[in-house]
Amino acid sequence: MSALRAIAKVRALYLIGLSAAILGVDYATGPYVQFAILFVFPVALATAAHGRRIGMLVAALLPLIRLWFVHHWQLPSSWVIEILDAGIDVAILVATS
């Protein structure tokens, strides 16, 4: 079995689990340590297994969920900076999906 066929069999549940695990670690470490670089893995798996549209959807959702974490943490930072950071994350992930 080729590597691409093996990736294509990745179930959506595994992608959701991987995304949830990365978001869980990101949330548990708090607002000052970001694991946004790890978002590349579920985006790459989603794109390879389910196509570009699903990969782009995952690429857009993960940084937006992290933006909700920032709201939940109630940091004394600027919302403009946080929204720009999330927008840059989305743009990079979508461009590489």
Side-chain angles (χ1 to χ4, degrees), residues 53-85:
R53 285 186 182 176
I54 299 298
M56 291 171 67
L57 177 67
V58 173
L61 285 177
L62 291 175
L64 293 177
I65 292 170
R66 190 179 194 294
L67 186 62
W68 179 81
F69 291 168
V70 172
H71 171 69
H72 180 71
W73 286 320
Q74 298 179 353
L75 296 174
S77 65
S78 168
W79 270 103
V80 173
I81 292 172
E82 297 299 335
I83 291 171
L84 282 173
D85 182 45

Side-chain angles (χ1 to χ4, degrees), residues 5-79:
R5 285 189 182 173
I7 289 173
K9 291 188 177 192
V10 173
R11 304 256 185 234
L13 186 61
Y14 297 139
L15 295 171
I16 293 168
L18 178 61
S19 299
I22 292 170
L23 286 168
V25 168
D26 198 16
Y27 183 78
T29 57
Y32 302 109
V33 179
Q34 292 188 14
F35 286 101
I37 189 69
L38 296 179
F39 292 166
V40 170
F41 296 111
V43 170
L45 282 174
T47 302
H50 302 285
R52 186 168 168 94
R53 285 186 182 176
I54 299 298
M56 291 171 67
L57 177 67
V58 173
L61 285 177
L62 291 175
L64 293 177
I65 292 170
R66 190 179 194 294
L67 186 62
W68 179 81
F69 291 168
V70 172
H71 171 69
H72 180 71
W73 286 320
Q74 298 179 353
L75 296 174
S77 65
S78 168
W79 270 103

